[in-house]
């Protein structure tokens, strides 16, 4: 759309790089989360185990290395279906466990006060906005898929409504119940709150912890390979030979090398910088805010050219300006938080 509506340069040098950065950022974030979940499963079996987080990130990266070899989006259709089921399962499990723990007599003390000085609070607000943008940004996938066949407008609306329904059932259900149960101590990965830090015992049965983390690992691996696929498609359009068959040696070897290289790089970055919340907010600020909130209204004004005296022109212009400013501020806030955390944690930290 940017290529045809704005110009080929906008598509190639602005929108394209942002899309690819978002896709690769999601792969890195999922590798980190997958490693955290594997570590949680390990600690259920070996409470005094000595393995470090980066080792589990590498193990998860090995799983991605295998799944990344699926040749196309079409070949991922069953993984996508399983991903949705797993997402619903672990979200329901996390919400149910949070409610159960919150009602227990020995439940953690609920403190909803906002910590930090005024500067930290302000930057925290913009960080949160970027994370919310990342959450809602997932809606861009069913919207794009809906434009493949007519009627585009009706299918896009159905896809968007379905996406928001899933977001409410998963992200928001977990966020609300988790914050209610743990207050300001709620972590980015809510499962880590299920461990009582004082007694070093879980608030829920250990088999439940193991199972819900297993659901999460499998779902994260599916999401990672889906977001890796656009990068693969673009690179393979350059390195592959379209006159040869898909599974010919000429096409299989370059595909294996390039995909493996990108998975290895993502795994190394995830192991080095275990700051999931910071990565999430940076993704939202840099990628999802411009893609979801700025470009669509700009495209509308350029395509339909509403009168400059009309309400729709000015509301679109205001939305574009406000969210452009918000994206810049949120990016500064995300980078600031990464710098703060980098001073707290070392590379390959075991968090």
């Amino acid at each position: 759309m940017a290529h045809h509506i704005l110009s080929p340069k906008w598509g190639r040098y602005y929108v394209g790089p942002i899309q690819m950065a978002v896709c690769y950022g999601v792969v890195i974030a999922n590798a980190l989360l997958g490693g955290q979940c594997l570590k949680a499963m390990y600690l259920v079996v070996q409470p005094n185990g000595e393995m470090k987080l980066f080792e589990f990130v590498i193990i998860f990266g090995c799983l991605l290395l295998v799944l990344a070899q699926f040749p196309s989006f079409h070949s991922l259709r069953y993984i996508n279906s399983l991903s949705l089921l797993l997402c619903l399962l672990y979200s329901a499990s996390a919400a149910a466990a949070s409610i159960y723990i919150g009602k227990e007599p020995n439940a953690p003390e609920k403190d909803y006060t906002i910590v930090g000085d005024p500067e930290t609070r302000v930057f925290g607000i913009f960080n949160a906005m970027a994370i919310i943008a990342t959450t809602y940004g997932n809606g861009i996938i069913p919207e794009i898929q809906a434009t493949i066949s007519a009627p585009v407008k009706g299918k896009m609306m159905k896809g968007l409504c379905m996406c928001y329904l899933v977001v409410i059932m998963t992200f928001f259900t977990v966020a609300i119940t988790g914050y209610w149960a743990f207050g300001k101590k709620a972590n980015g990965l809510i499962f880590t709150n299920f461990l009582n830090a004082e007694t070093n015992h879980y608030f829920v049965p250990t088999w439940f912890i193991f199972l819900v983390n297993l659901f999460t690992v499998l779902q994260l691996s599916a999401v990672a390979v889906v977001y890796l696929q656009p990068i693969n498609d673009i690179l393979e359009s350059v390195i592959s030979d379209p006159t040869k068959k898909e599974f010919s040696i000429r096409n299989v070897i370059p595909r294996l090398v390039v995909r493996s290289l990108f998975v290895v790089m993502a795994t190394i970055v995830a192991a080095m910088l275990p700051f999931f919340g910071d990565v999430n907010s940076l993704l939202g600020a840099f990628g999802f805010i411009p893609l979801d909130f700025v470009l669509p209204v700009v495209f509308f004004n350029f395509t339909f050219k509403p009168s400059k005296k009309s309400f729709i022109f000015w509301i679109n212009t205001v939305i574009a300006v406000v969210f452009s400013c918000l994206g810049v501020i949120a990016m500064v806030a995300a980078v600031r938080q990464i710098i703060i955390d980098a001073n707290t944690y070392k590379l390959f930290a075991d968090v």
Side-chain angles (χ1 to χ4, degrees), residues 2-269:
H3 177 93
H4 291 287
I5 296 173
L6 301 179
S7 73
K9 289 185 178 180
W10 276 91
R12 175 174 294 181
Y13 299 112
Y14 178 68
V15 177
I18 289 179
Q19 287 176 315
M20 294 305 102
V22 165
C23 287
Y24 201 57
V26 170
V27 176
I28 294 172
N30 282 9
L32 174 57
L33 269 180
Q36 291 177 334
C37 293
L38 285 174
K39 181 182 177 183
M41 294 168 64
Y42 168 73
L43 292 176
V44 168
V45 180
Q46 295 286 342
N48 299 317
E50 297 181 355
M51 290 184 67
K52 307 298 182 183
L53 174 61
F54 73 87
E55 297 176 87
F56 293 102
V57 173
I58 293 172
I59 294 172
F60 186 84
C62 292
L63 173 61
L64 286 186
L65 205 58
V66 176
L67 294 178
Q69 307 311 320
F70 278 77
S72 64
F73 266 124
H74 183 67
S75 64
L76 296 174
R77 61 194 183 279
Y78 298 117
I79 290 181
N80 272 336
S81 300
L82 177 62
S83 172
L84 174 61
L85 177 61
L86 290 168
C87 185
L88 295 174
L89 281 174
Y90 80 68
S91 298
S93 300
S98 296
I99 294 171
Y100 170 80
I101 295 171
K103 290 185 175 181
E104 283 288 286
N106 63 335
E109 182 180 352
K110 298 180 179 65
D111 184 358
Y112 303 111
T113 58
I114 301 175
V115 297
D117 53 44
E119 178 185 349
T120 301
R121 294 184 184 185
V122 170
F123 278 110
I125 291 171
F126 287 106
N127 257 338
M129 289 181 179
I131 293 172
I132 292 171
T134 305
T135 302
Y136 275 108
N138 289 281
I140 203 169
I141 295 177
E143 283 188 71
I144 292 171
Q145 290 173 334
T147 62
I148 294 174
S149 61
V152 172
K153 186 175 180 180
K155 289 190 174 182
M156 285 184 72
M157 182 57 68
K158 289 180 181 179
L160 191 62
C161 291
M162 175 58 71
C163 175
Y164 283 174
L165 177 62
V166 173
V167 166
I168 292 170
M169 293 172 62
T170 54
F171 288 104
F172 278 81
T173 303
V174 173
I176 292 169
T177 56
Y179 187 69
W180 170 79
F182 305 107
K184 67 181 183 183
K185 293 182 180 179
N187 294 319
L189 185 59
I190 198 66
F191 302 145
T192 57
N193 286 104
F194 296 171
L195 178 67
N196 189 334
E198 296 178 358
T199 63
N200 205 32
H201 288 86
Y202 290 101
F203 291 108
V204 292
T206 53
W207 62 264
F208 179 87
I209 297 293
F210 188 91
L211 191 63
V212 77
N213 278 284
L214 177 61
F215 289 158
T216 310
V217 167
L218 295 174
Q219 202 269 342
L220 289 170
S221 62
V223 172
V225 295
V226 167
Y227 273 90
L228 189 62
Q229 197 64 43
I231 302 174
N232 295 335
D233 286 346
I234 290 177
L235 289 173
E236 286 161 25
S237 67
V238 177
I239 65 173
S240 298
D241 185 350
T243 64
K244 304 291 185 181
K245 292 184 178 180
E246 183 179 28
F247 295 103
S248 65
I249 296 297
R250 167 63 183 82
N251 288 331
V252 168
I253 297 300
R255 182 168 68 229
L256 178 65
V257 171
V258 170
R259 293 186 178 204
S260 300
L261 179 63
F262 271 84
V263 170
V264 169
M265 289 170 56
T267 303
I268 291 173
V269 173

